[in-house]
Amino acid sequence: MKILAIDSATAACSAAVWSGDGIAAHRFETMARGHAVHLMPMVRDVMAESGLDFHDLDFIATTTGPGGFTGLRIGLAAARALAMAAKLPIVGYSTLETVARSPRRDANRRPVLVVLDAKRTDFYFQLFKPDGAAMGPPATAAPDVIAAAVTPQNPVIICGDGADAVFETINAYGVQLERSKGPDVPDAAILAQIAHSDVGSDMKFQFKSRPPEPVYLRAPDAALPRR
Amino acid sequence: MIVLGIESSCDETAAAIVRDDRAILSNVVLSQIDDHRPYGGVVPEIAARSHLSHIDGVVKQAMAEARLSFNDLDAVAATGGPGLIGGVLVGMMTAKAIALVHDLPLIAVNHLEGHALTARLTGDAPFPYLLLLVSGGHCQLLDVVGPGQYTLFGTTVDDAVGEAFDKTAKLLGLPYPGGPAIEAAAVDGDPKRFKLPRPMTGRPGCDFSFSGLKTAVARLVERLGEAPLSHQDISDIAASFQDAAAGALVDRTRNAIQRHVEIHAGIDGAKRTLVTAGGVASNQYLRSALTALAVEEGFHFAAPPPALCTDNAAMIAWAGLERLRLGLTDHLDFAPRPRWPLDSTA
């Protein structure tokens, strides 16, 4: 199976090609801005390095957010247009799921709480079972609301680039947290691996089941004029 | 040569395909006006979300209407700025992706250059020519020497003329967007009933100002009293406003014509051309006034048809084509520019 995966939804930008049974080429850079500049050259480079043509690919995988509105749109616009131009299927994975399912040795048989920085007082979060299945919908909330949502689970592995900022608050609620040393932001290489595993293990996998639709979790800032 | 153009810098998601013989093979424009109307103006985040939702469909439709596949293209052009950056990014990433997959040249087009060169797609406008660029975001007089070669003669010191149309429409209770609403209301109006200021008129130079005109309309509406404005009042104010705005634009353009003639003294007088472009250039009253000015000054007058004055992607494809001919292409690491003046020295 050959997959091109990309992500630019959070404070990193990456592209990777999965070919056969492993990653054939990979670029990853942490960056606060500049995703629109770096993403497509990364895609060009991983394609060139893997020696593949776009028509050799089986599908494209992209993150869908939540994350920076601008960043997630850069990745989604790129991924969708690559799929359109190369006539390939496309799958979308949320950034929260991508981080939750990143390989981490310390996550054995514990729920995983992913908390991502939303650049506000609220954070994006979602709780996952040890096998990576979601335990609830993704949401955006203040640290004490996240703590209340997590309390029934104990102990919990916490990860994501917002984990450190909420750690103390959630800990104060009596939830025993273990800070994972694994990846805190999505990485296209891991996304490719997850997508490969899902598509490869499910004979009936439907690309439509994971549409490349944006996950904003927040309405646009816009006030209706007063009459 | 066949070029795909993509435009997404404001509230229109658009894709078009043009050929070097000036044939527009397709021209798809999806307006978001209904999404923004409740807010009385364009909301950037709503616009960006809408662009992402629709861009692929709009590009596919443009390809289908032209009966072409991506392999038939010679280049992909997209608006690279100026404009609302969230939307520009969506269009630019889409263009980069198509260019990469099909190994096509990428051209990042300045949205204003798209407007500036449209008259060459829809008619004859040999370089150099004088351009009056009038829209909701811009109001400029430019000397156009060639693609990428512009000298700014004048710009607005406050509001763009399109903003003045929008704000006047709001004061009169007319719907958004204001330009077409004012033009429609003015049809049965008396442009002489109210004397409104024509800012900067008679002064040297080519700069504009429209905030005073807008304020004068606000005072006038206030003065007319508590009762709701009658249909005739609205029409007369719209007509008087339109007349004042056109009068100010004509006055400044006359000064620019003189400067253009001085700079290009060696050029055959029979080839001198005044071009107007941008959303406000679709206003028929203004077009008539500019036509009269051009006749008076011995200039040809060229203006794209109204549908190609407002934002569209045919103009982006055409500007891309003109740049492609000169080898002015861009790389996959092009950084979209929220601000991007045509004259970088101004």
Side-chain angles (χ1 to χ4, degrees):
Chain A
M1 199 182 300
K2 297 178 178 64
I3 306 163
L4 169 66
I6 65 171
D7 165 69
S8 67
T10 69
C13 184
S14 58
V17 170
W18 179 282
S19 180
D21 51 10
I23 294 295
H26 180 212
R27 295 286 184 280
F28 177 93
E29 255 182 78
T30 55
M31 61 181 74
R33 60 186 70 83
H35 302 76
V37 172
H38 296 286
L39 179 61
M40 208 56 78
M42 282 181 170
V43 172
R44 177 195 59 206
D45 292 350
V46 293
M47 290 301 293
E49 195 175 308
S50 66
L52 296 179
D53 225 337
F54 280 96
H55 61 246
D56 298 327
L57 296 170
D58 292 293
F59 65 95
I60 287 171
T62 178
T63 52
T64 56
F69 292 168
T70 299
L72 74 88
R73 272 194 290 268
I74 289 168
L76 276 172
R80 289 182 183 188
L82 288 166
M84 171 178 67
K87 296 196 167 71
L88 291 170
I90 177 169
V91 287
Y93 282 79
S94 87
T95 50
L96 293 158
E97 180 176 354
T98 305
V99 172
R101 294 176 64 186
S102 296
R104 39 189 101 243
R105 274 174 296 172
D106 45 10
N108 261 347
R109 278 174 261 143
R110 305 243 170 98
V112 176
L113 172 66
V114 184
V115 182
L116 294 177
D117 186 1
K119 308 284 177 210
R120 304 212 182 177
T121 51
D122 282 9
F123 292 81
Y124 302 126
F125 80 100
Q126 194 173 10
L127 201 55
F128 295 86
K129 289 182 191 163
D131 66 358
M135 297 176 72
T140 170
D144 51 346
V145 176
I146 300 176
V150 173
T151 305
Q153 309 299 323
N154 210 345
V156 166
I157 303 290
I158 185 168
C159 58
D161 66 353
D164 294 333
V166 303
F167 192 95
E168 287 307 320
T169 308
I170 298 177
N171 214 26
Y173 272 68
V175 179
Q176 194 195 323
L177 290 174
E178 276 179 47
R179 181 70 173 92
S180 168
K181 293 178 194 74
D184 279 332
V185 290
D187 179 344
I190 292 165
L191 173 62
Q193 189 183 337
I194 294 169
H196 171 259
S197 149
D198 286 359
V199 177
S201 67
D202 182 358
M203 295 293 286
K204 291 181 197 149
F205 185 88
Q206 295 280 321
F207 287 102
K208 274 183 282 184
S209 70
R210 290 186 171 274
E213 292 297 331
V215 180
Y216 293 111
L217 296 186
R218 212 188 267 134
D221 279 327
L224 284 166
R226 269 173 276 170
R227 294 275 163 187
Chain B
M1 266 193 281
I2 299 175
V3 176
L4 165 67
I6 294 172
E7 154 64 29
S8 57
S9 66
C10 191
D11 60 347
E12 264 103 19
T13 313
I17 296 161
V18 303
R19 205 166 52 198
D20 52 357
D21 63 356
R22 305 201 290 205
I24 299 174
L25 304 179
S26 61
N27 183 25
V28 180
V29 181
L30 184 75
S31 171
Q32 303 174 0
I33 277 180
D34 291 342
D35 298 342
H36 299 286
R37 188 172 283 122
Y39 302 93
V42 177
V43 181
E45 178 62 21
I46 291 176
R49 290 184 183 192
S50 182
H51 285 303
L52 178 65
S53 299
H54 297 116
I55 194 119
D56 289 2
V58 167
V59 169
K60 275 184 196 160
Q61 192 185 335
M63 297 300 296
E65 285 181 12
R67 296 168 190 273
L68 294 174
S69 68
F70 291 116
N71 295 317
D72 301 317
L73 300 174
D74 292 287
V76 185
T79 300
L84 300 174
I85 195 68
V88 172
L89 286 165
V90 167
M92 184 48 69
M93 295 312 292
T94 302
K96 285 182 177 182
I98 297 167
L100 175 61
V101 170
H102 293 281
D103 198 18
L104 295 170
L106 171 75
I107 301 128
V109 171
N110 183 317
H111 177 86
L112 303 176
E113 179 156 63
H115 283 302
L117 301 180
T118 308
R120 292 165 55 79
L121 166 64
T122 59
D124 289 315
F127 296 126
Y129 54 81
L130 178 67
L131 170 71
L132 173 66
L133 178 54
V134 277
S135 70
H138 300 274
C139 189
Q140 301 181 348
L141 279 158
L142 291 144
D143 193 42
V144 182
V145 178
Q149 295 177 271
Y150 301 87
T151 305
L152 183 70
F153 280 179
T155 186
T156 181
V157 298
D158 41 55
D159 295 348
V161 63
E163 277 177 272
F165 271 86
D166 282 339
K167 286 171 181 170
T168 296
K170 212 172 199 174
L171 286 166
L172 297 180
L174 296 172
Y176 169 87
I182 294 271
E183 186 171 3
V187 169
D188 336 305
D190 172 10
K192 304 276 180 258
R193 180 169 157 206
F194 301 106
K195 198 162 168 49
L196 292 168
R198 298 164 184 237
M200 313 290 266
T201 296
R203 286 166 57 176
C206 306
D207 283 340
F208 303 91
S209 166
F210 286 101
S211 73
L213 175 56
K214 171 193 71 189
T215 309
V217 174
R219 288 219 190 96
L220 174 61
V221 171
E222 231 167 75
R223 187 159 53 82
L224 286 177
E226 305 86 53
L229 294 172
S230 72
H231 176 82
Q232 195 57 50
D233 288 341
I234 290 172
S235 292
D236 291 346
I237 295 171
S240 301
F241 163 81
Q242 190 172 256
D243 186 59
L249 290 168
V250 164
D251 178 82
R252 314 313 290 162
T253 305
R254 184 178 281 116
N255 290 358
I257 282 177
Q258 261 147 38
R259 217 172 135 186
H260 178 82
V261 169
E262 280 163 26
I263 290 176
H264 303 290
I267 287 184
D268 178 5
K271 287 185 176 166
R272 290 194 172 120
T273 307
L274 168 65
V275 170
T276 189
V280 180
S282 64
N283 181 289
Q284 294 297 336
Y285 192 85
L286 174 62
R287 288 162 87 104
S288 305
L290 290 170
T291 305
L293 171 69
V295 168
E296 203 179 298
E297 299 286 343
F299 271 55
H300 295 285
F301 177 68
L308 293 176
C309 284
T310 48
D311 287 354
N312 66 86
M315 69 180 195
I316 302 303
W318 176 256
L321 203 149
E322 292 231 34
R323 294 184 75 83
L324 180 66
R325 280 177 182 152
L326 300 174
L328 299 171
T329 59
D330 296 276
H331 298 288
L332 291 176
D333 64 355
F334 174 84
R337 300 175 62 174
R339 298 171 64 82
W340 188 358
L342 274 179
D343 179 352
S344 56
T345 64

